[in-house]
Structures are given as structure tokens and as C-alpha cells.
Amino acid sequence: MSLMEALHWRYAAKRMNGKKISRGTLDTILEAARLAPSSYGLQPYSVLVVEDPALRERIRHAACDQPQVSECSHLLIFAAWTEVDGRHVDELIALTAAARDLDPKELEGYRQSLHAAIAGFTPEEKQPWAARQAYIALGTALTAAAAERIDASPMEGFDPPALDDLLGLEERGLRSVVLLALGYRDMAEDRLAGLAKVRWPRERFVVEWGGA
């Protein structure tokens, strides 16, 4: 299936049938999210994987009782780091030097520029910035899931403080941003499944200046 075919097939399933996806397929989707781009390459978020049915049922109560939460195979929680500072910059520089077989001193200019950029954020700016990076990974995971023929339903309809409290995320330095239910659509229970995809026409969606 081509990428365009996969994206046309993709649908944010409102009901799922409880069937499990394979570990290999899950790992492919998670790896795609890990490989997503992010500002400065810092990836200031984590992806939590919840498979336990009892826990997903409890999460459902904090997620507007959306059935996908308990009917899915795995629930991914994209959670932004509550703190992003110079320690993370130094860790990234060390990781980059090791991956590229460089002397960390060769990256000193880059390290200093990253320190300055992160220090330039106010506390009020850091959280929305980190959350936006998590959404880039979410989009990549959605595309990867479609390519694997796995239904993936993104959900903002939940109570973040309640979910954070349920999972003890504050103690982990995390704050929930968006959910992604992975599984298989239930064609019998989902009245919207199988309907034509509706998007604005290209001439309204795309605005071009110059060129062909």
C-alpha cells in the first residue's frame, strides 16, 4: 500500500474491537515516533505505552468516557517534560558526539547556542513549546500506523491533571499532552467507519506564491 493509499484508508476510529496488534508492529510505530524531528533535536517529551486493560479502564474515566481507550490494543500517552534545561542540552551534545564519533569540543559552539536558546524561554513558554514537539511525533506515529494498517485515534478530550495524577506523572517530570489509541476499528459498532473521508479541497487548503 502506497503512502497516499494508507492516508486515504486512515480513519480516527470511534470504536475498536479489542484485537491486539503485534509487538513488532507496535515497535515500528514507536520507532517512527522516536525518529520524528523536533526543535533543536531535543525531543522534550516521552511516549508512555499502556496495555493493561484495568488501567486503561481507569484512564477512560479521565478521558470523557471515550470507548477507544478501553477497546484499543495499546494506548499511547504523549507527555511533555515539565523541565527542559541545560542538563538536557549537555546530554544531547554527549549523545551526538558519541553517535557521530566526534570530540565533544567540536560541538562546543552548537552547545552554547542551544544553552542560549533554552535559557531564552520563559517558564510559561517552555511547556507549550514542548507540547508542540510532542505533536510532531504524534503525526509521525499516525502516519506509521496507517502504513501498518493499524487504526490510530488521536484524542485531546481528556482531563490532563486527572490523568497526570492517576499515573503519577508529576513525580516523573511529565505532563500529558495528547492520547493515541492503537488497534482495529469495529465496523459493526462504529457508524462512521467506511464513510467517505472529508477534507477541504486542495484549492482552499493550499496557497501558493510563484512557481509552477
Side-chain angles (χ1 to χ4, degrees):
M1 183 168 56
S2 72
L3 176 60
M4 286 298 104
E5 288 173 333
L7 293 178
H8 278 285
W9 171 86
R10 196 205 71 77
Y11 165 67
K14 305 301 183 288
R15 299 295 303 268
M16 293 185 174
N17 62 14
K19 180 182 175 182
K20 290 294 182 182
I21 66 177
S22 72
R23 183 70 218 190
T25 299
L26 174 64
D27 286 341
T28 294
I29 295 169
L30 292 171
E31 182 67 0
R34 189 183 73 87
L35 294 174
S38 69
S39 181
Y40 309 116
L42 273 169
Q43 295 178 284
Y45 52 86
S46 298
V47 181
L48 315 178
V49 183
V50 183
E51 182 178 5
D52 179 62
L55 180 54
R56 283 190 285 113
E57 190 63 42
R58 295 175 67 191
I59 292 173
R60 177 172 171 171
H61 293 302
C64 304
D65 198 34
Q66 296 179 84
Q68 307 97 304
V69 174
S70 55
E71 295 174 349
C72 68
S73 172
H74 295 77
L75 181 70
L76 306 188
I77 302 171
F78 290 76
W81 298 351
T82 54
E83 293 292 336
V84 185
D85 54 35
R87 296 170 300 163
H88 301 109
V89 170
D90 291 342
E91 289 175 8
L92 178 63
I93 292 299
L95 181 65
T96 302
R100 297 176 179 174
D101 195 23
L102 298 172
D103 185 329
K105 294 179 180 178
E106 297 179 61
L107 299 171
E108 181 59 23
Y110 183 50
R111 188 187 74 85
Q112 292 183 15
S113 68
L114 286 188
H115 270 278
I118 297 303
F121 283 123
T122 66
E124 294 75 22
E125 291 171 333
K126 280 185 180 179
Q127 187 63 30
W129 167 75
R132 289 194 295 271
Q133 308 316 306
Y135 270 89
I136 297 173
L138 170 71
T140 304
L142 284 165
T143 302
E148 293 292 318
R149 204 79 171 185
I150 298 297
D151 285 300
S153 299
M155 292 178 283
E156 290 184 312
F158 68 101
D159 183 344
L163 180 58
D164 294 352
D165 183 62
L166 173 63
L167 299 179
L169 296 191
E170 184 178 355
E171 292 81 0
R172 294 173 176 263
L174 299 171
R175 185 175 298 166
S176 57
V177 173
V178 64
L179 311 180
L180 183 62
L182 299 175
Y184 297 92
R185 66 189 71 174
D186 188 330
M187 296 295 292
E189 295 295 330
D190 191 343
R191 63 183 180 83
L192 298 178
L195 297 182
K197 186 182 291 291
V198 179
R199 295 291 186 273
W200 293 120
R202 179 183 171 90
E203 56 270 21
R204 176 169 179 173
F205 179 73
V206 177
V207 179
E208 299 187 46
W209 278 272

